[in-house]
Amino acid sequence: MKNKTNPIFFTLLIILYPFIWLYEQIGATLFWALILCCIIASFFYWQSKKSTNQPRSAQGENLNQPHINTDPDVFYASFNSECWHTINLPTAHPDTMRSANIHFMSHPLNQKHAECLRLIQIIRDSIDILNKTQNEDTAVSRMQVIQEMYDEVIAMSYLFKPKDFQRIEERFAELILPLHTIIYLNIAQGHVNKMESVKTDKTKLKYLLKAIESIEYGMNDYDANIEILQTMLDDLKAHPLYLKRIHTL
């Protein structure tokens, strides 16, 4: 009885023959180096393919991206709260404001909410600047910015519930009213500071008169606190240089 060739052995011989041939041609060192390179290349290929085929939701989870709540009530509560804190509190750090802007800009429920929040941020920032600046040009430009931005916010009042927008309006009025006095006091004080920094009486008098002019201009502002302005005006006009000028006229 003749011996039959084992089909499994025959198949393995066909598969392994190219490797055996290659081994004999290039030697053991290069052969095993080539095998190692093939294994590494295969590993990276399958990893890349696995990442490409991964669902977008899974990729988002891997990046630890926060889940965005699309509940309209939750979104509105978050938006209204951010707007209220923005107008109610001193200007936040720029990074904090930028983070809030990005959140609402990227939110699927955003219409003009991000734009409205940005306008309120600009208003609050301008209010804080007006409380400190002694520069007349800055004061004028910032008051103009507030007016323009606030007009746009009013046009977007439909984004709010009526009672919520009313609360923002009331807080805005509380913040704006004192500015009708503060800006004139600050500008006048700026001129006083310059007066005290110069040497000649002629230059000192020039800045003193500018300070007086600023206060007198403010006393024509219907919303200004006339009593406070009058007190500073009296102090300025009691300055020896002003009294000397009066006597020489």
Side-chain angles (χ1 to χ4, degrees):
M1 185 175 174
K2 295 182 179 179
N3 293 329
K4 294 182 178 180
T5 304
N6 190 325
I8 296 177
F9 174 79
F10 184 74
T11 302
L12 288 174
L13 183 62
I14 294 175
I15 294 173
L16 294 175
Y17 178 76
F19 293 96
I20 296 172
W21 178 85
L22 183 62
Y23 181 87
E24 293 177 347
Q25 295 295 317
I26 65 177
T29 302
L30 290 178
F31 176 81
W32 291 113
L34 182 61
I35 293 297
L36 180 60
C37 289
C38 290
I39 293 173
I40 293 174
S42 298
F43 173 78
F44 282 108
Y45 170 78
W46 288 108
Q47 284 295 110
S48 175
K49 188 174 182 179
K50 180 180 178 181
S51 175
T52 303
N53 294 332
Q54 190 177 29
R56 289 185 177 270
S57 59
Q59 292 180 25
E61 292 173 0
N62 289 339
L63 294 173
N64 295 320
Q65 294 179 348
H67 173 68
I68 297 180
N69 193 322
T70 56
D71 185 317
D73 292 334
V74 173
F75 173 73
Y76 174 76
S78 175
F79 166 70
N80 180 57
S81 176
E82 189 66 35
C83 290
W84 168 248
H85 284 97
T86 298
I87 194 65
N88 188 51
L89 301 174
T91 304
H93 189 278
D95 290 344
T96 301
M97 292 193 295
R98 190 178 299 109
S99 176
N101 294 338
I102 292 174
H103 170 73
F104 287 103
M105 285 179 63
S106 61
H107 200 288
L109 295 180
N110 175 54
Q111 295 177 22
K112 287 196 171 183
H113 297 81
E115 181 181 346
C116 182
L117 174 60
R118 182 57 186 153
L119 293 172
I120 294 176
Q121 288 174 345
I122 295 172
I123 290 172
R124 179 68 220 210
D125 184 52
S126 296
I127 289 172
D128 292 343
I129 290 173
L130 282 170
N131 274 294
K132 299 176 182 179
T133 186
Q134 296 180 342
N135 184 285
E136 185 174 356
D137 291 338
T138 299
V140 171
S141 64
R142 284 291 174 167
M143 285 295 287
Q144 183 177 358
V145 166
I146 289 175
Q147 185 60 58
E148 293 175 354
M149 299 298 101
Y150 191 64
D151 287 344
E152 292 188 41
V153 170
I154 290 177
M156 298 182 193
S157 61
Y158 63 87
L159 297 173
F160 298 87
K161 295 177 181 178
K163 64 177 182 179
D164 293 330
F165 190 71
Q166 181 181 357
R167 183 171 70 153
I168 290 176
E169 282 187 305
E170 291 173 352
R171 180 56 176 154
F172 175 80
E174 290 175 355
L175 293 168
I176 289 297
L177 183 59
L179 291 178
H180 287 273
T181 303
I182 291 172
I183 57 176
Y184 303 113
L185 295 175
N186 288 346
I187 291 171
Q189 186 60 50
H191 291 312
V192 170
N193 293 343
K194 290 180 180 178
M195 178 187 71
E196 294 174 347
S197 67
V198 296
K199 296 181 178 180
T200 66
D201 286 348
K202 181 179 179 180
T203 308
K204 286 179 181 292
L205 180 60
K206 181 184 74 171
Y207 287 117
L208 177 61
L209 293 176
K210 282 181 176 291
I212 291 173
E213 181 182 2
S214 299
I215 296 298
E216 289 179 336
Y217 184 82
M219 294 184 73
N220 294 318
D221 188 330
Y222 179 80
D223 293 317
N225 188 317
I226 303 301
E227 292 183 3
I228 294 177
L229 293 178
Q230 185 64 56
T231 298
M232 186 170 189
L233 183 62
D234 291 342
D235 290 342
L236 292 172
K237 288 186 174 182
H239 194 282
L241 285 176
Y242 184 79
L243 295 175
K244 182 180 178 180
R245 176 178 180 273
I246 294 298
H247 292 317
T248 56
L249 290 178

